[in-house]
C-alpha cells in the first residue's frame, strides 16, 4: 500500500489497485481532480462487482474541505490571466504606448510581481483555498502573469487588435477548457489535451496542483512551457525596438507629407 501511495503522490500514476484480503484497495487522490477520481472509482467498482470482488477506496490526498471540487486553482489562473491580458492591451494602446519596448517589459515585470503577490495573498492566507506552498504559488503566478502580459503586448504591437484578440481567445477560452484540470486530461480528446498542455493555462494549472497538493512533484515540464512563453513574449516585444512596428491606434507619417498643422497654410494662420 505504501508503494501505491508513493506512486500517486510522486505523480507517477493517478490511481492504484492494491490486492488485499478480505477486499482489494483502490488508492486514489481527489486532489488530482474530483471528476477524474469519481470516474475512476465508478469504473473500478463496476469491474469489481462483475468479478465478485469487494473493493475499498482510500483517498491518499484529499482536497481541502473549503474546496471540495478543486476549483480554486482554476480561479487562481483565470484571476491572473484575465487582468494580465487587459493590462497588456492598456499598456500598448493607452498609458504605455509612448514607452520604449524595454520600458514596457520593465512595467510588465513589475505588474507580474504585484498581481501574483495579491493573488497568492488572497488564495492562501485570506481564503485558505490554496495553502501550504505560498512561495511556490507566488513564483508560478508571477511567471504566468509575465508570460501572458508579454505575449499579448507583443501580439498587439505586431498584429494590432487582431493579434491581441487571437491571444486572448487562445489563452482563456481555449487554454482553460483544454487544460483538462477540472475534468482530467484523460476525459477530453487527446489532441485537445495536447494543445492545452502547450498553452499557459494548461501548464500553470498542473504546476499549481502539483505544488500545492503533491509536494512539487512533476512540475519541471509545466514550468519549462511557461518559461518558453515568457521568453517568447519578451523577445517579441524587445524586437519592437529593432523593427519599430506602429503602436495600435497610431498613424504612420508618410515621407514627404507635412504633418497636420504645419506648412504654409498653418504659417499664414499664425
Amino acid at each position: 500500500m505504501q508503494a501505491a501511495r508513493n506512486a500517486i503522490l510522486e505523480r507517477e500514476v493517478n490511481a492504484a489497485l492494491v490486492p488485499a484480503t478480505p477486499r482489494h484497495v483502490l488508492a486514489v487522490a481527489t486532489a488530482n481532480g474530483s471528476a477524474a477520481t469519481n470516474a475512476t472509482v465508478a469504473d473500478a467498482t463496476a469491474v469489481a462487482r462483475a468479478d465478485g470482488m469487494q473493493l475499498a477506496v482510500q483517498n491518499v490526498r484529499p482536497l481541502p474541505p473549503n474546496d471540495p471540487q478543486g476549483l480554486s486553482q482554476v480561479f487562481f489562473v483565470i484571476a491572473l490571466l484575465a487582468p494580465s491580458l487587459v493590462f497588456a492591451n492598456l499598456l500598448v494602446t493607452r498609458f504605455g504606448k509612448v514607452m520604449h519596448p524595454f520600458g514596457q517589459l520593465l512595467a510588465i515585470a513589475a505588474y507580474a510581481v504585484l498581481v501574483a503577490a495579491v493573488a497568492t495573498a488572497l488564495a492562501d492566507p485570506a481564503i485558505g483555498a490554496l495553502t501550504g506552498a505560498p512561495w511556490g504559488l507566488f513564483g508560478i503566478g508571477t511567471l504566468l502573469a509575465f508570460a501572458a502580459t508579454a505575449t499579448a503586448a507583443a501580439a498587439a504591437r505586431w498584429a494590432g487588435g487582431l493579434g491581441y484578440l487571437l491571444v486572448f481567445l487562445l489563452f482563456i477560452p481555449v487554454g482553460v477548457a483544454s487544460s483538462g484540470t477540472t475534468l482530467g486530461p484523460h476525459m477530453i480528446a487527446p489532441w485537445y489535451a495536447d494543445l492545452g498542455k502547450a498553452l499557459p493555462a494548461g501548464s500553470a494549472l498542473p504546476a499549481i496542483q502539483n505544488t500545492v497538493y503533491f509536494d512539487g512533484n512533476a512540475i519541471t515540464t509545466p514550468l519549462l512551457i511557461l518559461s518558453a512563453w515568457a521568453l517568447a513574449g519578451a523577445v517579441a516585444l524587445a524586437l519592437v525596438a529593432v523593427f519599430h512596428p506602429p503602436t495600435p491606434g497610431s498613424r504612420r507619417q508618410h515621407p514627404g507629407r507635412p504633418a497636420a498643422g504645419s506648412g504654409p497654410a498653418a504659417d499664414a494662420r499664425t
Side-chain angles (χ1 to χ4, degrees):
M1 184 61 197
Q2 186 61 42
R5 176 185 177 88
N6 292 340
I8 292 174
L9 296 181
E10 292 172 6
R11 307 301 284 135
E12 296 176 359
V13 297
N14 293 327
L17 181 63
V18 181
T21 303
R23 62 178 68 182
H24 297 330
V25 177
L26 178 66
V28 298
T30 51
N32 183 55
S34 59
T37 302
N38 292 338
T40 300
V41 172
D43 291 343
T45 301
V47 172
R49 287 177 179 172
D51 292 341
M53 297 187 305
Q54 292 184 339
L55 185 67
V57 178
Q58 182 173 345
N59 191 357
V60 301
R61 185 51 55 88
L63 286 163
N66 57 350
D67 185 23
Q69 300 301 318
L71 296 178
S72 294
Q73 56 197 320
V74 180
F75 294 145
F76 182 83
V77 168
I78 295 176
L80 287 171
L81 277 178
S84 294
L85 296 178
V86 172
F87 178 82
N89 184 50
L90 293 177
L91 180 67
V92 171
T93 62
R94 296 290 186 270
F95 55 81
K97 63 180 180 180
V98 297
M99 295 174 62
H100 190 275
F102 292 115
Q104 291 181 335
L105 280 174
L106 290 176
I108 290 172
Y111 159 80
V113 171
L114 178 61
V115 74
V118 172
T120 302
L122 291 175
D124 192 343
I127 301 176
L130 299 170
T131 61
W135 288 109
L137 199 62
F138 169 72
I140 296 170
T142 301
L143 187 57
L144 173 63
F146 182 89
T149 309
T151 304
R157 288 299 299 264
W158 285 100
L162 179 60
Y164 173 80
L165 179 61
L166 289 176
V167 169
F168 184 92
L169 295 175
L170 188 64
F171 279 15
I172 294 186
V174 176
V176 174
S178 62
S179 66
T181 301
T182 53
L183 294 178
H186 303 294
M187 300 182 69
I188 58 178
W191 69 267
Y192 200 42
D194 291 338
L195 173 64
K197 294 175 183 177
L199 296 175
S203 54
L205 282 166
I208 293 170
Q209 182 184 63
N210 293 346
T211 296
V212 174
Y213 300 126
F214 296 97
D215 303 321
N217 290 307
I219 63 172
T220 301
T221 298
L223 291 182
L224 287 176
I225 295 174
L226 271 180
S227 299
W229 278 103
L231 179 61
V235 170
L237 191 56
L239 287 177
V240 173
V242 179
F243 295 100
H244 305 289
T247 301
S250 65
R251 294 181 298 178
R252 288 184 182 272
Q253 181 64 37
H254 295 281
R257 181 180 297 178
S262 63
D267 295 338
R269 287 196 300 271
T270 59

